[in-house]
Amino acid sequence: MRWCTRRRSRTVCLSLVVASLSLHLLLIILSRSVYQNHCDAPSPRQTHLHTLRALEEGPPMGSGMSKLEALFSHPLYNMPTPPIHEDDWLLKVKPKGKARETSTQMWVSYSDIGDDSAHWNRSSDSHPPWLRFHLGISRWQLYPHLDPNMAPLAQQLSTHRIVSAVQKSGGTQLKLVMSFPNYGQAILKPMKQERDEETNFNLYYFSDFERHNAEIAAFHLDRVLGYRRIPPAVGRLVDVVTEIKDITTDHKLARTFFTSPVNNVCFYGQCSYYCSTEHAVCGRPQNLEASLAMMLPDTSLATRRSWRSPWKRSYSRSKLAVWEKDPDYCDTVKKTPPYNKGTRLVDLIDMTILDFLMGNMDRHHYETFEKFGNNTFLLHLDNGRAFGRHSTDEPSILTPLEQCCRIRRSTLLHLRLLSLPQYRLSDVMRDSLSHDPLFSVAPLLSELHLSALDRRLVTVLQTVSRCQERQRSRHGEGDDDVIYDDVTDYKTLVKHVTPAG
């Protein structure tokens, strides 16, 4: 009996020893595998994809953070930027006490407008908001990201007393130049149709009305995309009598005021199209919805150059433009200055994407500040014909992207980010537009227009994907011909950008 017990004990002990050795062996194998995986350097493609994913997902949204705040706190919107050199500012500040310069790039001193006590510099809080905006324009953008001057500038545009109203010369439709007591000026575009009213499908793009809410929404979309190339625009309820008729010194404009059969005060001005009693602008009975867009520095201080868009439409009811008939048209553009070098081509494609998202077919010209030559951003002005239709998209607007297959990496990253559920473009735009003063009257864009933004964003990303697939089918791996790499050091970018929250 004792012998049997000893034999059973030896068997149990031997089994335990074998199990222990097996476990140790398994742990050694696993640890070597983990160590090997940890030490082996990932491939460049793995690192690239991992870092792109980190950039696009970004830090988690804070519980009290709005959609817009979360987006603007994302690393993509806070990339480190090089310092701005003196020659990269649009306007130079004349030191106090210095004799008047004759250069068109020198700004007047405060003594010229009646305030000798103020010192002129870019950061002075004593400057009116419009002047801080002008002095903040650089070679690369109209205003910086998270510019603290945006709030006081919007307040000026929407609430400050209007001291003068005259019709702006040129253009095809009625626009007014409004002046404030602090010498700031803004372009007013009046409400001509209801927000939800779609453009008549039988109208050609060049016969469409300009919309006040389109100017406002375009400014917000441009900022959400990270461009910052549209001057700030704000909605305002204007009293047609006390803020236009009674203070105007424009005699031609004054003669066009009348009272409608239902006692609304109306006017129509003088312009190439839609300036007649049949197309009059009317208050209700005196209150008129309008957009007020900040005016850029006078051309005597900052000359602008107008460029004909290579993809300009024919503006004919029967003829097609060259680019509409030649699928290889971009090959010619790429060889033509200034599109043959630098960033001009991807700058124009940035504008193309903005126009497609808005449904704007009326981009016949664009402007740049002449001081900066060809190495600068494009001004995205006159967006009143945007947001006319939400039920259909206009694929021809995307032709430059489709034909050239070229896009900034930073632009593509922004678009991908805005396609994610937590940063959905329609949600961010709804949040951004809710801060406009006219939101208290009605949303600036209907839900149908906001949904159209998401739908069109998918189309843009699909177009880029097709370009990349064509590139891979022709040249194998890589998309160097599609992506203009303006964001190269992803690891440094993720490391140095301050997280949100």
Side-chain angles (χ1 to χ4, degrees):
M1 187 70 178
R2 189 178 301 166
W3 178 81
C4 290
T5 301
R6 285 199 299 272
R7 185 175 181 182
R8 191 178 297 111
S9 298
R10 284 196 298 272
T11 303
V12 171
C13 290
L14 183 61
S15 299
L16 290 173
V17 170
V18 171
S20 178
L21 290 172
S22 299
L23 284 172
H24 278 78
L25 183 62
L26 181 61
L27 286 172
I28 291 171
I29 293 171
L30 287 174
S31 63
R32 288 188 63 186
S33 175
V34 171
Y35 178 79
Q36 183 70 27
N37 288 338
H38 178 74
C39 293
D40 285 348
S43 68
R45 182 172 178 81
Q46 289 174 324
T47 302
H48 174 77
L49 292 175
H50 173 76
T51 314
L52 278 182
R53 195 174 296 114
L55 274 173
E56 290 174 353
E57 292 175 356
M61 289 171 56
S63 56
M65 191 177 292
S66 72
K67 292 272 188 178
L68 186 65
E69 289 171 335
L71 181 76
F72 284 172
S73 297
H74 192 279
L76 279 176
Y77 287 81
N78 294 275
M79 293 188 292
T81 55
I84 300 177
H85 301 292
E86 189 61 30
D87 289 340
D88 290 335
W89 295 106
L90 178 64
L91 299 172
K92 294 181 180 179
V93 182
K94 183 171 65 176
K96 187 179 180 182
K98 188 175 180 179
R100 178 184 295 272
E101 300 278 353
T102 57
S103 168
T104 58
Q105 298 301 332
M106 301 296 285
W107 194 269
V108 295
S109 72
Y110 244 118
S111 60
D112 293 321
I113 58 173
D115 190 349
D116 293 328
S117 62
H119 292 274
W120 285 66
N121 58 69
R122 300 190 187 283
S123 61
S124 176
D125 293 334
S126 64
H127 297 165
W130 66 267
L131 179 57
R132 292 203 293 270
F133 167 64
H134 285 184
L135 292 176
I137 299 173
S138 73
R139 179 186 295 272
W140 316 116
Q141 59 191 5
L142 282 176
Y143 55 92
H145 178 56
L146 299 180
D147 184 3
N149 188 46
M150 283 296 105
L153 187 60
Q155 183 183 31
Q156 170 182 311
L157 291 171
S158 59
T159 64
H160 281 207
R161 183 168 61 92
I162 296 171
V163 297
S164 173
V166 297
Q167 184 167 349
K168 186 179 186 298
S169 60
T172 59
Q173 300 189 35
L174 178 66
K175 295 184 285 289
L176 303 181
V177 177
M178 316 299 281
S179 300
F180 303 105
N182 63 5
Y183 301 92
Q185 290 186 317
I187 297 291
L188 179 145
K189 289 191 178 180
M191 179 177 182
K192 292 188 175 180
Q193 58 187 26
E194 299 297 328
R195 292 168 172 74
D196 297 337
E197 186 178 349
E198 278 203 284
T199 300
N200 188 318
F201 284 91
N202 289 315
L203 276 182
Y204 289 93
Y205 49 88
F206 49 85
S207 301
D208 193 11
F209 289 113
E210 291 188 342
R211 286 165 283 277
H212 72 302
N213 61 313
E215 291 287 356
I216 301 166
F219 159 65
H220 286 260
L221 179 59
D222 178 84
R223 188 172 61 140
V224 163
L225 292 173
Y227 294 161
R228 298 185 290 278
R229 301 165 197 169
I230 292 180
V234 173
R236 177 167 177 159
L237 279 176
V238 177
D239 189 305
V240 174
V241 175
T242 63
E243 295 183 308
I244 301 178
K245 181 182 178 183
D246 290 350
I247 62 174
T248 186
T249 56
D250 187 333
H251 301 298
K252 292 182 179 179
L253 175 65
R255 286 197 294 266
T256 67
F257 281 86
F258 65 95
T259 301
S260 75
V262 292
N263 291 320
N264 290 333
V265 181
C266 308
F267 65 102
Y268 53 87
Q270 293 185 355
C271 58
S272 302
Y273 299 95
Y274 304 125
C275 283
S276 63
T277 53
E278 292 81 7
H279 301 100
V281 173
C282 297
R284 297 180 182 178
Q286 293 182 197
N287 285 335
L288 172 67
E289 278 192 33
S291 66
L292 269 76
M294 194 67 231
M295 286 191 70
L296 295 172
D298 190 88
T299 53
S300 64
L301 296 167
T303 308
R304 299 197 299 271
R305 179 172 177 179
S306 179
W307 301 79
R308 180 186 180 276
S309 171
W311 281 269
K312 176 185 176 182
R313 297 177 185 276
S314 65
Y315 286 80
S316 166
R317 293 176 177 84
S318 57
K319 295 180 181 179
L320 294 177
V322 176
W323 58 267
E324 294 178 279
K325 298 179 287 187
D326 181 6
D328 298 321
Y329 174 75
C330 187
D331 293 340
T332 302
V333 175
K334 286 179 178 179
K335 299 174 184 176
T336 307
Y339 305 97
N340 60 339
K341 60 182 178 180
T343 63
R344 182 58 63 90
L345 182 61
V346 289
D347 288 336
L348 189 137
I349 289 174
D350 279 347
M351 186 169 62
T352 293
I353 292 169
L354 172 75
D355 285 336
F356 177 73
L357 293 174
M358 301 190 299
N360 179 27
M361 301 173 67
D362 188 39
R363 188 72 69 185
H364 44 82
H365 286 78
Y366 62 85
E367 294 184 27
T368 59
F369 288 111
E370 199 166 86
K371 175 184 177 181
F372 302 132
N374 294 335
N375 188 23
T376 187
F377 67 97
L378 313 186
L379 289 162
H380 301 165
L381 306 177
D382 287 334
N383 303 286
R385 287 195 172 111
F387 296 105
R389 293 175 184 154
H390 52 69
S391 56
T392 59
D393 305 335
E394 181 50 57
S396 65
I397 302 174
L398 268 188
T399 299
L401 175 61
E402 187 79 50
Q403 290 183 346
C404 300
C405 275
R406 194 78 168 141
I407 188 173
R408 269 192 172 91
R409 189 182 295 281
S410 59
T411 299
L412 181 57
L413 290 174
H414 281 94
L415 296 176
R416 286 176 176 169
L417 182 69
L418 291 165
S419 70
L420 298 177
Q422 62 268 42
Y423 303 105
R424 185 177 288 112
L425 178 56
S426 59
D427 293 338
V428 175
M429 278 292 289
R430 186 185 298 107
D431 184 6
S432 185
L433 289 168
S434 69
H435 298 284
D436 188 86
L438 284 185
F439 180 78
S440 60
V441 179
L444 271 298
L445 288 181
S446 69
E447 287 300 315
L448 292 172
H449 275 299
L450 292 172
S451 297
L453 286 173
D454 293 332
R455 181 181 70 240
R456 292 164 185 168
L457 176 56
V458 171
T459 301
V460 175
L461 292 174
Q462 288 173 343
T463 303
V464 176
S465 295
R466 287 196 299 271
C467 286
Q468 291 173 312
E469 289 170 6
R470 287 205 297 267
Q471 169 71 11
R472 283 191 286 269
S473 66
R474 292 172 184 171
H475 307 288
E477 279 294 320
D479 53 5
D480 294 341
D481 288 342
V482 176
I483 306 298
Y484 178 82
D485 209 351
D486 61 334
V487 184
T488 52
D489 196 347
Y490 298 100
K491 296 179 74 174
T492 302
L493 173 62
V494 174
K495 179 179 178 181
H496 288 93
V497 170
T498 304

